[in-house]
Protein backbone atom coordinates (compact mmCIF):
# COMPACT_ATOMS: atom_id res chain seq x y z
CA UNK A 1 0.00 0.00 0.00
CA UNK A 2 1.31 3.46 -0.92
CA UNK A 3 2.70 5.51 1.98
CA UNK A 4 0.48 8.42 3.00
CA UNK A 5 1.26 12.12 2.96
CA UNK A 6 -0.21 13.67 6.10
CA UNK A 7 -1.12 17.35 5.64
CA UNK A 8 -2.72 17.66 9.07
CA UNK A 9 -0.24 16.89 11.83
CA UNK A 10 0.80 19.28 14.55
CA UNK A 11 4.07 20.07 16.27
CA UNK A 12 4.35 21.49 19.77
CA UNK A 13 7.98 22.49 20.31
CA UNK A 14 9.06 23.20 23.88
CA UNK A 15 8.96 26.99 23.53
CA UNK A 16 5.32 26.84 22.40
CA UNK A 17 4.40 24.23 25.01
CA UNK A 18 5.56 26.61 27.75
CA UNK A 19 3.13 29.23 26.48
CA UNK A 20 0.30 26.69 26.26
CA UNK A 21 0.88 25.72 29.88
CA UNK A 22 0.69 29.38 30.89
CA UNK A 23 -2.86 29.91 29.56
CA UNK A 24 -6.16 28.19 30.19
CA UNK A 25 -7.88 25.88 27.72
CA UNK A 26 -10.53 28.60 27.35
CA UNK A 27 -7.85 30.75 25.72
CA UNK A 28 -6.16 28.09 23.60
CA UNK A 29 -9.32 26.21 22.63
CA UNK A 30 -7.42 22.92 22.64
CA UNK A 31 -6.40 20.49 25.40
CA UNK A 32 -2.81 20.21 26.57
CA UNK A 33 -1.21 17.12 25.06
CA UNK A 34 2.27 15.63 25.01
CA UNK A 35 4.30 15.86 21.81
CA UNK A 36 7.75 14.86 20.63
CA UNK A 37 9.36 14.42 17.25
CA UNK A 38 10.09 10.83 18.20
CA UNK A 39 6.39 10.30 18.90
CA UNK A 40 5.53 11.76 15.50
CA UNK A 41 7.95 9.41 13.72
CA UNK A 42 6.53 6.42 15.60
CA UNK A 43 2.96 7.37 14.71
CA UNK A 44 3.98 7.83 11.08
CA UNK A 45 5.33 4.29 11.05
CA UNK A 46 2.19 2.92 12.70
CA UNK A 47 -0.14 4.63 10.20
CA UNK A 48 2.11 4.09 7.15
CA UNK A 49 2.75 7.81 6.69
CA UNK A 50 5.71 8.61 4.49
CA UNK A 51 5.69 12.40 4.92
CA UNK A 52 4.14 14.69 7.53
CA UNK A 53 3.59 18.42 7.00
CA UNK A 54 3.89 19.99 10.46
CA UNK A 55 1.87 22.98 11.66
CA UNK A 56 0.90 24.78 14.84
CA UNK A 57 -2.62 24.06 16.01
CA UNK A 58 -5.06 26.72 17.17
CA UNK A 59 -4.68 29.46 18.13
CA UNK A 60 -1.11 29.62 16.81
CA UNK A 61 1.08 32.67 17.50
CA UNK A 62 -2.07 34.64 18.36
CA UNK A 63 -1.97 32.87 21.74
CA UNK A 64 0.27 35.66 23.02
CA UNK A 65 -1.77 38.79 23.87
CA UNK A 66 0.65 41.34 22.45
CA UNK A 67 0.86 41.66 18.67
CA UNK A 68 4.54 42.52 18.96
CA UNK A 69 5.19 39.16 20.62
CA UNK A 70 3.25 37.19 17.99
CA UNK A 71 5.68 38.19 15.24
CA UNK A 72 8.80 36.68 16.86
CA UNK A 73 6.81 33.63 17.98
CA UNK A 74 5.72 32.91 14.39
CA UNK A 75 9.29 33.44 13.19
CA UNK A 76 10.66 31.16 15.94
CA UNK A 77 8.32 28.34 14.98
CA UNK A 78 9.09 28.70 11.29
CA UNK A 79 12.84 28.63 11.86
CA UNK A 80 12.49 25.60 14.15
CA UNK A 81 10.26 23.78 11.64
CA UNK A 82 12.54 24.65 8.73
CA UNK A 83 15.50 23.17 10.58
CA UNK A 84 13.57 20.00 11.43
CA UNK A 85 12.42 19.63 7.83
CA UNK A 86 15.88 20.27 6.43
CA UNK A 87 17.28 17.37 8.47
CA UNK A 88 14.68 14.95 7.08
CA UNK A 89 13.13 16.64 4.04
CA UNK A 90 11.64 13.49 2.53
CA UNK A 91 9.67 12.74 5.69
CA UNK A 92 8.96 16.22 7.08
CA UNK A 93 7.69 19.56 5.83
CA UNK A 94 5.84 22.46 7.43
CA UNK A 95 3.12 25.02 7.00
CA UNK A 96 4.38 28.40 8.12
CA UNK A 97 2.89 30.18 11.09
CA UNK A 98 1.95 33.85 10.80
CA UNK A 99 0.94 36.48 13.38
CA UNK A 100 -2.75 37.35 13.71
CA UNK A 101 -4.05 38.45 10.31
CA UNK A 102 -5.00 41.87 11.65
CA UNK A 103 -1.22 42.49 11.72
CA UNK A 104 -1.02 42.94 7.96
CA UNK A 105 2.58 44.13 7.86
CA UNK A 106 3.78 41.33 10.13
CA UNK A 107 1.91 38.68 8.16
CA UNK A 108 3.18 39.84 4.78
CA UNK A 109 6.75 39.90 6.05
CA UNK A 110 6.56 36.41 7.58
CA UNK A 111 4.88 34.92 4.51
CA UNK A 112 7.76 36.17 2.38
CA UNK A 113 10.36 34.99 4.88
CA UNK A 114 8.80 31.54 5.28
CA UNK A 115 8.16 30.83 1.62
CA UNK A 116 11.21 32.49 0.08
CA UNK A 117 13.92 31.90 2.69
CA UNK A 118 12.78 28.94 4.79
CA UNK A 119 11.09 27.03 1.96
CA UNK A 120 7.87 26.31 3.81
CA UNK A 121 5.43 24.00 2.03
CA UNK A 122 2.61 26.49 2.57
CA UNK A 123 1.01 28.73 5.16
CA UNK A 124 -1.33 27.87 8.03
CA UNK A 125 -4.26 30.20 8.70
CA UNK A 126 -7.03 29.89 11.25
CA UNK A 127 -10.74 30.24 10.60
CA UNK A 128 -11.11 33.66 12.24
CA UNK A 129 -9.07 36.45 13.76
CA UNK A 130 -10.49 38.91 16.26
CA UNK A 131 -14.02 37.99 15.25
CA UNK A 132 -13.38 38.39 11.52
CA UNK A 133 -13.62 35.44 9.15
CA UNK A 134 -11.18 34.89 6.32
CA UNK A 135 -13.21 36.57 3.60
CA UNK A 136 -13.07 39.93 5.42
CA UNK A 137 -11.80 42.80 3.29
CA UNK A 138 -9.19 43.60 5.96
CA UNK A 139 -7.38 40.41 4.91
CA UNK A 140 -7.34 41.22 1.18
CA UNK A 141 -3.62 42.14 1.09
CA UNK A 142 -2.74 38.81 2.67
CA UNK A 143 -4.78 36.80 0.17
CA UNK A 144 -3.24 38.81 -2.67
CA UNK A 145 0.24 37.98 -1.39
CA UNK A 146 -0.61 34.28 -1.03
CA UNK A 147 -2.09 34.27 -4.52
CA UNK A 148 1.01 35.93 -5.97
CA UNK A 149 3.07 33.18 -4.33
CA UNK A 150 0.65 30.49 -5.60
CA UNK A 151 0.75 29.23 -2.02
CA UNK A 152 -0.82 26.18 -0.46
CA UNK A 153 -2.96 27.50 2.41
CA UNK A 154 -3.95 25.15 5.22
CA UNK A 155 -6.99 26.40 7.14
CA UNK A 156 -7.40 25.06 10.66
CA UNK A 157 -10.39 25.80 12.89
CA UNK A 158 -10.18 27.83 16.06
CA UNK A 159 -12.74 29.12 18.53
CA UNK A 160 -14.41 32.36 17.46
CA UNK A 161 -13.87 35.49 19.51
CA UNK A 162 -16.34 35.68 22.37
CA UNK A 163 -17.52 32.09 22.01
CA UNK A 164 -18.03 30.02 25.14
CA UNK A 165 -19.19 26.39 25.09
CA UNK A 166 -22.72 25.99 26.46
CA UNK A 167 -21.39 23.22 28.70
CA UNK A 168 -18.04 21.68 29.52
CA UNK A 169 -19.45 18.45 28.13
CA UNK A 170 -19.37 20.03 24.63
CA UNK A 171 -15.81 21.10 23.88
CA UNK A 172 -15.17 23.17 20.71
CA UNK A 173 -12.89 20.66 18.91
CA UNK A 174 -15.52 17.94 19.29
CA UNK A 175 -18.31 19.82 17.52
CA UNK A 176 -17.87 23.55 16.93
CA UNK A 177 -14.62 23.35 14.99
CA UNK A 178 -16.50 21.75 12.09
CA UNK A 179 -18.94 24.68 12.03
CA UNK A 180 -16.11 27.23 12.12
CA UNK A 181 -14.45 25.58 9.12
CA UNK A 182 -17.70 25.57 7.16
CA UNK A 183 -18.43 29.17 8.13
CA UNK A 184 -15.08 30.61 7.05
CA UNK A 185 -15.22 28.64 3.78
CA UNK A 186 -18.70 30.00 3.10
CA UNK A 187 -17.45 33.51 3.89
CA UNK A 188 -14.54 33.14 1.46
CA UNK A 189 -17.02 32.05 -1.21
CA UNK A 190 -19.71 34.68 -0.68
CA UNK A 191 -17.31 37.63 -0.38
CA UNK A 192 -15.75 36.58 -3.66
CA UNK A 193 -12.34 36.19 -2.02
CA UNK A 194 -12.03 32.56 -3.11
CA UNK A 195 -12.78 33.43 -6.73
CA UNK A 196 -10.53 36.52 -6.81
CA UNK A 197 -7.45 34.58 -5.76
CA UNK A 198 -7.68 31.25 -7.58
CA UNK A 199 -3.96 30.52 -7.45
CA UNK A 200 -4.21 29.86 -3.72
CA UNK A 201 -4.63 26.13 -3.15
CA UNK A 202 -6.71 26.05 0.03
CA UNK A 203 -6.96 22.95 2.20
CA UNK A 204 -9.92 22.76 4.60
CA UNK A 205 -9.45 20.67 7.73
CA UNK A 206 -11.65 17.75 8.74
CA UNK A 207 -13.29 17.09 5.37
CA UNK A 208 -14.35 20.73 5.09
CA UNK A 209 -16.38 20.68 8.29
CA UNK A 210 -20.01 21.46 7.53
CA UNK A 211 -19.36 22.84 4.03
CA UNK A 212 -20.12 19.64 2.04
CA UNK A 213 -23.40 19.14 3.92
CA UNK A 214 -24.59 22.76 3.77
CA UNK A 215 -23.16 23.96 0.44
CA UNK A 216 -26.35 23.28 -1.54
CA UNK A 217 -28.42 25.11 1.06
CA UNK A 218 -25.96 28.02 0.92
CA UNK A 219 -26.08 28.10 -2.87
CA UNK A 220 -29.86 28.05 -3.14
CA UNK A 221 -30.66 30.59 -0.43
CA UNK A 222 -27.87 33.07 -1.19
CA UNK A 223 -28.65 33.16 -4.92
CA UNK A 224 -32.40 33.52 -4.45
CA UNK A 225 -33.81 34.57 -1.08
CA UNK A 226 -30.78 36.69 -0.18
CA UNK A 227 -29.70 37.76 -3.67
CA UNK A 228 -30.28 41.45 -2.87
CA UNK A 229 -27.76 41.31 0.00
CA UNK A 230 -24.85 40.09 -2.12
CA UNK A 231 -21.91 42.29 -3.03
CA UNK A 232 -20.76 42.94 -6.60
CA UNK A 233 -17.97 40.39 -6.06
CA UNK A 234 -20.25 37.62 -4.75
CA UNK A 235 -21.04 34.62 -6.95
CA UNK A 236 -24.68 35.08 -7.95
CA UNK A 237 -25.88 31.69 -9.15
CA UNK A 238 -26.17 28.30 -7.43
CA UNK A 239 -23.78 26.88 -10.00
CA UNK A 240 -21.10 29.51 -9.32
CA UNK A 241 -21.39 29.07 -5.54
CA UNK A 242 -21.12 25.30 -5.82
CA UNK A 243 -18.17 25.60 -8.17
CA UNK A 244 -16.32 27.69 -5.60
CA UNK A 245 -17.29 25.34 -2.76
CA UNK A 246 -15.82 22.37 -4.60
CA UNK A 247 -12.62 24.23 -5.49
CA UNK A 248 -11.18 23.73 -1.99
CA UNK A 249 -9.09 20.74 -0.98
CA UNK A 250 -10.36 18.56 1.86
CA UNK A 251 -8.23 16.67 4.35
CA UNK A 252 -9.44 13.47 6.00
CA UNK A 253 -8.30 14.20 9.56
CA UNK A 254 -10.90 12.70 11.94
CA UNK A 255 -12.99 12.01 8.84
CA UNK A 256 -12.26 8.42 7.89
CA UNK A 257 -15.60 6.91 8.86
CA UNK A 258 -18.22 5.79 6.36
CA UNK A 259 -20.82 8.40 7.32
CA UNK A 260 -18.36 11.18 6.36
CA UNK A 261 -16.77 9.47 3.37
CA UNK A 262 -20.11 8.49 1.82
CA UNK A 263 -20.98 12.19 1.59
CA UNK A 264 -17.59 13.71 0.82
CA UNK A 265 -16.51 11.30 -1.90
CA UNK A 266 -19.78 11.73 -3.80
CA UNK A 267 -19.60 15.52 -3.55
CA UNK A 268 -15.97 16.66 -3.76
CA UNK A 269 -13.69 16.27 -6.79
CA UNK A 270 -11.60 13.13 -6.34
CA UNK A 271 -8.45 15.16 -7.09
CA UNK A 272 -9.10 17.40 -4.07
CA UNK A 273 -9.15 14.83 -1.26
CA UNK A 274 -6.00 14.32 0.82
CA UNK A 275 -5.01 12.46 3.94
CA UNK A 276 -4.64 13.94 7.43
CA UNK A 277 -4.26 12.47 10.92
CA UNK A 278 -4.56 15.38 13.41
CA UNK A 279 -1.77 13.91 15.53
CA UNK A 280 -1.00 14.51 18.43
CA UNK A 281 -4.39 15.91 19.41
CA UNK A 282 -5.80 12.75 17.87
CA UNK A 283 -3.93 9.57 18.82
CA UNK A 284 -6.31 6.64 19.26
CA UNK A 285 -8.75 8.71 17.18
CA UNK A 286 -6.19 9.02 14.38
CA UNK A 287 -5.61 5.27 14.47
CA UNK A 288 -9.37 4.59 14.45
CA UNK A 289 -10.14 6.94 11.55
CA UNK A 290 -7.17 5.69 9.53
CA UNK A 291 -8.23 2.09 10.08
CA UNK A 292 -11.78 2.92 8.98
CA UNK A 293 -10.42 4.69 5.91
CA UNK A 294 -8.29 1.67 5.05
CA UNK A 295 -11.32 -0.61 5.46
CA UNK A 296 -13.56 1.63 3.33
CA UNK A 297 -14.28 0.23 -0.14
CA UNK A 298 -12.24 2.29 -2.61
CA UNK A 299 -10.78 1.68 -6.04
CA UNK A 300 -7.02 1.22 -5.81
CA UNK A 301 -6.39 4.28 -8.02
CA UNK A 302 -8.60 6.47 -5.83
CA UNK A 303 -6.98 5.25 -2.63
CA UNK A 304 -3.56 6.10 -4.04
CA UNK A 305 -4.80 9.59 -4.97
CA UNK A 306 -6.21 10.26 -1.51
CA UNK A 307 -3.20 8.86 0.32
CA UNK A 308 -0.47 10.55 -1.68
CA UNK A 309 -1.14 11.31 -5.35
CA UNK A 310 -3.16 14.47 -4.84
CA UNK A 311 -0.75 15.81 -2.21
CA UNK A 312 2.21 15.21 -4.52
CA UNK A 313 0.63 17.66 -6.97
CA UNK A 314 0.41 20.26 -4.19
CA UNK A 315 3.96 19.60 -2.99
CA UNK A 316 5.98 18.72 -6.11
CA UNK A 317 9.27 18.75 -4.14
CA UNK A 318 8.21 15.41 -2.66
CA UNK A 319 8.41 13.88 -6.14
CA UNK A 320 12.15 14.56 -6.28
Amino acid sequence: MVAKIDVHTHAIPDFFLEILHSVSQDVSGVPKVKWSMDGTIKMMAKLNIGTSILSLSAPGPEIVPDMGDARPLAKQFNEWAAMASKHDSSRLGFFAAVPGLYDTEGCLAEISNALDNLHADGVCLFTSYGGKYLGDSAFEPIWKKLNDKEAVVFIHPTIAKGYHPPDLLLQPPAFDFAHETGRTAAHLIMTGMKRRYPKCKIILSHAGGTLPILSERLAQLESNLFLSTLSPDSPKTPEAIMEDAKSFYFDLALAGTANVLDTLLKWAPAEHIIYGSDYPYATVEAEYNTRKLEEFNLLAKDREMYYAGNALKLFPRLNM
Side-chain angles (χ1 to χ4, degrees):
M1 187 180 296
V2 64
K4 303 175 185 73
I5 297 174
D6 185 355
V7 302
H8 191 147
T9 185
H10 300 298
I12 315 172
D14 289 342
F15 60 85
F16 194 77
L17 184 63
E18 289 179 13
I19 299 172
L20 280 175
H21 282 313
S22 71
V23 301
S24 70
Q25 189 171 322
D26 289 343
V27 174
S28 70
V30 295
K32 297 175 176 66
V33 299
K34 293 180 180 179
W35 178 85
S36 69
M37 187 64 78
D38 184 58
T40 295
I41 299 300
K42 288 179 180 178
M43 181 61 81
M44 289 171 66
K46 182 178 284 190
L47 300 183
N48 191 30
I49 295 168
T51 304
S52 288
I53 310 297
L54 305 173
S55 61
L56 279 179
S57 187
E62 199 181 19
I63 195 170
V64 293
D66 187 273
M67 185 170 71
D69 293 332
R71 289 187 183 186
L73 182 56
K75 186 178 182 65
Q76 185 178 12
F77 173 79
N78 294 337
E79 290 177 346
W80 172 88
M83 185 64 67
S85 301
K86 185 177 180 179
H87 282 278
D88 201 352
S89 60
S90 66
R91 288 204 294 179
L92 296 173
F94 75 102
F95 290 129
V98 295
L101 260 61
Y102 37 76
D103 178 10
T104 304
E105 181 181 344
C107 280
L108 295 177
E110 195 54 40
I111 288 169
S112 291
N113 175 55
L115 295 179
D116 297 342
N117 302 325
L118 301 178
H119 308 296
D121 292 292
V123 175
C124 177
L125 302 182
F126 296 102
T127 45
S128 63
Y129 293 86
K132 294 181 178 181
Y133 288 89
L134 293 180
D136 195 279
S137 60
F139 305 147
E140 188 100 29
I142 294 162
W143 283 111
K144 184 179 185 305
K145 178 80 163 185
L146 292 168
N147 191 70
D148 290 344
K149 296 288 187 183
E150 299 186 18
V152 176
V153 181
F154 173 63
I155 296 180
H156 193 281
T158 189
I159 51 176
K161 182 180 180 181
Y163 175 80
H164 298 284
D167 193 291
L168 290 177
L169 298 173
L170 194 62
Q171 291 295 317
F175 200 77
D176 292 290
F177 271 18
H179 294 296
E180 290 301 302
T181 301
R183 184 173 290 115
T184 209
H187 196 234
L188 284 167
I189 294 167
M190 297 315 303
T191 58
M193 196 77 80
K194 181 71 176 70
R195 185 159 288 224
R196 282 199 298 283
Y197 300 110
K199 294 180 182 178
C200 293
K201 296 167 282 287
I202 302 175
I203 302 170
L204 297 178
S205 297
H206 310 125
T210 55
L211 182 67
I213 296 291
L214 298 180
S215 59
E216 193 73 47
R217 176 190 178 103
L218 174 78
Q220 292 297 322
L221 292 178
E222 291 286 343
S223 62
N224 292 288
L225 184 62
F226 300 115
L227 182 62
S228 63
T229 69
L230 300 184
S231 75
D233 290 331
S234 300
K236 303 294 194 302
T237 66
E239 293 78 13
I241 294 170
M242 291 299 291
E243 179 184 6
D244 288 354
K246 293 183 180 184
S247 68
F248 293 99
Y249 289 80
F250 306 89
D251 82 36
L252 295 178
L254 295 174
T257 54
N259 62 315
V260 178
L261 294 174
D262 281 337
T263 297
L264 182 67
L265 301 187
K266 291 176 183 176
W267 179 83
E271 298 79 11
H272 282 211
I273 297 169
I274 47 184
Y275 176 78
S277 71
D278 216 341
Y279 181 81
Y281 293 96
T283 51
V284 294
E285 303 92 339
E287 293 179 37
Y288 174 80
N289 276 273
T290 299
R291 185 174 72 252
K292 289 296 183 181
L293 173 62
E294 291 173 346
E295 293 170 353
F296 192 80
N297 186 29
L298 291 171
L299 294 174
K301 67 177 183 63
D302 291 336
R303 189 177 299 278
E304 185 173 342
M305 286 170 58
Y306 306 156
Y307 285 6
N310 292 336
L312 286 171
K313 294 177 182 177
L314 291 178
F315 312 110
R317 74 167 181 85
L318 296 177
N319 280 306
M320 298 177 183

